[in-house]
Amino acid sequence: MAGQEWFAVQRLRDGVYLIGEPMHVNSYLIIGSRRAVLLDSGMGIRDIRECVRGITDRPVLVVNSHYHFDHVGGNHLFDDIAIHEAGAERLAEQPPAEWFPAYLEFAEAMLAQYRTFRALDEDWFQVLAPEMQMRPLPPAFDRDAWRTIATVPTRLLRDGDELDLGDRVLRVAHTPGHTPDCICLLDDRQRILFSGDTVDTGPIYAQFEDSSVGDFAVSARRLADREARDADILLSAHGARYQSYPELVRRVADGFEAILDGRAEFQAGRDCFGTPVRQASFNDFSIVVAADYSPRPAR
């Protein structure tokens, strides 16, 4: 299969495939009887379309969970693209130029740490499945030329929209917070919640200029009270532990509310672009906010 040295492909359930760029980002291919949805098109480091072709020959609609570069890098390889209406214009814009070299520097540092992690795992724990194992950048990858390519969506999404794939329907939940256009998808048939960047295992980023801790708290609580109650499994866009349990959504909502109310403890750190941030840890996930973030005044 094309790109196999970079993409990690794993069949998760009937018609549901992980197409992972391990330790970077997780995309998901959801196949129905008439067409398929590719939730996020990855980083653009390798040709994800060729990878998809190796799995299905059905027409594919790319659905972006939001506009960030690591979720839209392969958009230009597809004819049909959907994104929430709040993110449509951002697909035509380039991210800050300094993000790409900064992220590559971060990735190299992460790979060095991963090798130690992998050695410990092999000796002691054996928890890293093949699709969770980080790979070096492909030899043919041009670091200096790496950019996203502007695309125009063919469909704009709103909260409550349904994507009919034939024998399965995906429901759209608008969950702003990480960005204003963030969405999650719920597969009612298989009781799967695809959580995008709204609920991740590991760092959850709420530090960008267009992030909102308040909106994030509302979105996470909404997911916990509604969509997560109809799900048996949670599939996240980031983290080696890409598959988790819906209970995590409630704990993420609790974490954001603790931050809003000033009950969370922070440590100084840096995000994947080297930007100074503050981070509150909650055992198996953390929430990252801007370095100058302060909670709302107590009522």
Side-chain angles (χ1 to χ4, degrees):
M1 185 180 296
Q4 198 166 24
E5 83 288 356
W6 177 247
F7 295 113
V9 177
Q10 178 64 48
R11 178 184 176 275
L12 303 178
R13 295 200 178 181
D14 182 30
V16 179
Y17 291 80
L18 165 74
I19 303 180
E21 298 172 74
M23 305 291 182
H24 298 285
V25 68
N26 304 311
S27 301
Y28 296 96
L29 182 65
I30 307 126
I31 304 170
S33 60
R34 290 194 292 105
R35 62 175 179 159
V37 157
L38 176 63
L39 179 59
D40 292 329
S41 62
M43 301 176 73
I45 287 175
R46 287 287 271 127
D47 189 333
I48 197 170
R49 185 183 182 192
E50 287 301 308
C51 188
V52 169
R53 282 175 170 170
I55 303 171
T56 184
D57 59 359
R58 287 176 175 78
V60 175
L61 170 69
V62 170
V63 175
N64 295 137
S65 63
H66 61 295
Y67 72 84
H68 278 163
F69 78 97
D70 50 335
H71 299 261
V72 305
N75 275 19
H76 64 285
L77 302 170
F78 297 86
D79 295 327
D80 293 319
I81 303 165
I83 194 169
H84 187 270
E85 58 186 353
E89 294 183 1
R90 302 302 294 266
L91 289 182
E93 301 174 1
Q94 278 291 331
E98 63 272 15
W99 275 17
F100 294 96
Y103 185 83
L104 290 175
E105 183 177 345
F106 165 82
E108 289 176 349
M110 181 167 56
L111 181 60
Q113 295 294 328
Y114 167 77
R115 292 189 179 107
T116 301
F117 178 37
R118 176 70 177 135
L120 289 169
D121 186 64
E122 287 180 325
D123 287 345
W124 291 95
F125 308 112
Q126 292 87 44
V127 298
L128 290 175
E131 75 275 11
M132 300 162 68
Q133 295 172 16
M134 192 175 184
R135 297 103 189 273
L137 292 168
F141 174 61
D142 188 343
R143 300 166 57 101
D144 295 331
W146 185 36
R147 294 290 184 275
T148 54
I149 297 174
T151 52
V152 177
T154 55
R155 176 171 179 177
L156 299 182
L157 301 174
R158 298 175 179 84
D159 186 59
D161 282 355
E162 296 186 345
L163 304 173
D164 186 354
L165 307 187
D167 58 348
R168 71 190 334 143
V169 173
L170 303 176
R171 287 196 282 122
V172 176
H174 182 211
T175 54
H178 177 66
T179 62
D181 65 321
C182 273
I183 63 166
C184 301
L185 296 179
L186 180 65
D187 181 341
D188 287 306
R189 174 188 165 192
Q190 295 203 353
R191 297 179 61 85
I192 302 172
L193 178 60
F194 299 89
S195 63
D197 271 12
T198 301
V199 178
D200 280 317
T201 60
I204 298 174
Y205 277 5
Q207 81 277 25
F208 299 114
E209 287 187 2
D210 62 350
S211 299
S212 168
V213 174
D215 287 348
F216 231 139
V218 172
S219 293
R221 182 59 64 194
R222 170 252 173 98
L223 283 180
D225 291 345
R226 293 171 53 181
E227 284 78 11
R229 296 180 65 180
D230 295 327
D232 295 327
I233 190 172
L234 183 74
L235 296 177
S236 300
H238 292 285
R241 187 166 60 91
Y242 59 89
Q243 190 169 211
S244 57
Y245 38 86
E247 171 66 14
L248 177 63
V249 183
R250 182 191 61 78
R251 295 197 295 107
V252 168
D254 290 346
F256 272 104
E257 289 166 2
I259 287 175
L260 279 178
D261 294 340
R263 293 180 283 115
E265 295 184 3
F266 289 98
Q267 293 183 331
R270 292 183 180 273
D271 65 13
C272 65
F273 305 111
T275 305
V277 295
R278 300 172 72 200
Q279 181 166 299
S281 295
F282 300 92
N283 193 20
D284 57 345
F285 70 93
S286 62
I287 296 174
V288 177
V289 299
D292 60 355
Y293 174 81
S294 58
R296 63 192 179 191
R299 288 178 286 192

